[in-house]
Amino acid sequence: MDNPCKIVEGGIEYSLGNYDGSYVQYDFSKILIYLNCKGKLLFGKRFKIYKEDKVILLKLCSYFTRDEINCKKYGLDINKGILLSGPVGCGKTSLMKLLRHVVPQQRPYEMIPSRNVSFSFNHLGYKTIEDYGNTKFFCFDDLGVEPPGRFYGKDLNVMGEVLLSRYELYLDTKHRIKTHATTNLNAEELESRYGNRVRSRMRELFNLIAFDETAKDKRK
């Protein structure tokens, strides 16, 4: 069997830990070296890992590498998805695009801008809810700032309906379908946007990992 903690990028082999043939012991410092390299390949030479983000990254890496000891320490449920929240420009989308690559042997998730889901509903109607309420793994980017959906004169909180569909899938123990999301909104704003019922389901769907509200805008 191939070593799951060795990844080749641009002809260079990165070791993310030790593999004894049945179990991987990941090394966070080695994962950071790999993420810094992969980030530059994906987002350009200006990409870098910020010192102040290392606690967030440790939580995310613990989750994606299924490190049960650290996940328990951080209150993370490996069976739930991730809701990564924080101010505009703090790097949420980049990190969720990046972390997929740490565990290439795991089932990947597709990054979908939430606004695209609303736009799709405006063109295709309720088929959109079915399309995103399926057994694929998704990460819905910028949850909560998408425009409302409107199809043949009927308004719909599209992402709210998609999340309810994803929740029903999550309860299906045969699949344990993962849903991830990023958002600029806090808990009160999400509840105001989607209502109490959806907010309640989100608590069961997601582990919340939050940047500090003073996190700087890295795009400036």
Side-chain angles (χ1 to χ4, degrees):
M1 180 184 169
D2 291 338
N3 188 332
C5 66
K6 290 196 185 300
I7 299 177
V8 177
E9 291 288 353
I12 300 171
E13 183 178 87
Y14 294 86
S15 174
L16 307 187
N18 299 306
Y19 179 57
D20 65 6
S22 59
Y23 179 74
V24 177
Q25 181 73 46
Y26 284 97
D27 182 325
F28 182 56
S29 60
K30 290 179 178 179
I31 292 177
L32 287 183
I33 291 168
Y34 168 71
L35 289 176
N36 207 38
C37 158
K38 185 65 175 178
K40 284 177 166 55
L41 289 173
L42 288 175
F43 309 118
K45 291 182 179 177
R46 289 184 60 197
F47 177 86
K48 69 174 185 175
I49 300 290
Y50 289 82
K51 188 177 178 182
E52 61 265 31
D53 294 344
K54 284 190 179 174
V55 173
I56 293 277
L57 272 165
L58 181 53
K59 291 179 181 179
L60 287 168
C61 289
S62 298
Y63 171 84
F64 282 109
T65 60
R66 303 180 74 84
D67 179 337
E68 291 183 11
I69 293 172
N70 265 337
C71 281
K72 190 172 182 182
K73 175 180 167 185
Y74 295 123
L76 301 174
D77 182 339
I78 290 171
N79 292 314
K80 293 183 178 184
I82 292 291
L83 176 62
L84 187 59
S85 74
V88 172
C90 69
K92 302 180 295 295
T93 303
S94 298
L95 290 185
M96 289 305 286
K97 285 181 176 176
L98 189 54
L99 265 294
R100 292 183 291 189
H101 299 281
V102 170
V103 279
Q105 72 276 16
Q106 286 185 22
R107 187 175 170 185
Y109 52 88
E110 190 179 344
M111 295 288 295
I112 303 288
S114 295
R115 64 201 300 268
N116 288 13
V117 181
S118 279
F119 293 149
S120 174
F121 176 81
N122 294 347
H123 290 290
L124 301 173
Y126 288 88
K127 182 179 183 299
T128 297
I129 311 297
E130 293 172 25
D131 288 346
Y132 290 107
N134 64 23
T135 54
K136 284 185 179 177
F137 285 15
F138 291 115
C139 178
F140 296 109
D141 196 29
D142 269 341
L143 184 67
V145 294
E146 71 280 356
R150 190 172 181 83
F151 187 69
Y152 281 103
K154 184 170 172 56
D155 291 332
L156 188 76
N157 192 326
V158 180
M159 281 309 305
E161 291 299 320
V162 168
L163 290 173
L164 289 173
S165 295
R166 303 291 299 175
Y167 173 74
E168 294 301 323
L169 276 174
Y170 171 73
L171 290 183
D172 180 349
T173 52
K174 291 197 293 292
H175 296 296
R176 282 294 178 194
I177 300 304
K178 289 275 179 71
T179 306
H180 306 300
T182 72
T183 186
N184 305 330
L185 306 186
N186 61 32
E188 292 76 25
E189 290 167 328
L190 285 168
E191 186 161 325
S192 172
R193 180 78 170 79
Y194 296 113
N196 179 263
R197 180 169 171 241
V198 174
R199 178 72 188 115
S200 162
R201 301 293 187 269
M202 287 175 73
R203 289 189 190 96
E204 296 181 63
L205 263 182
F206 297 123
N207 295 287
L208 175 63
I209 296 180
F211 280 87
D212 191 281
E213 56 190 36
T214 61
K216 65 184 179 186
D217 187 340
K218 298 178 179 71
R219 295 183 293 202
K220 289 182 177 176

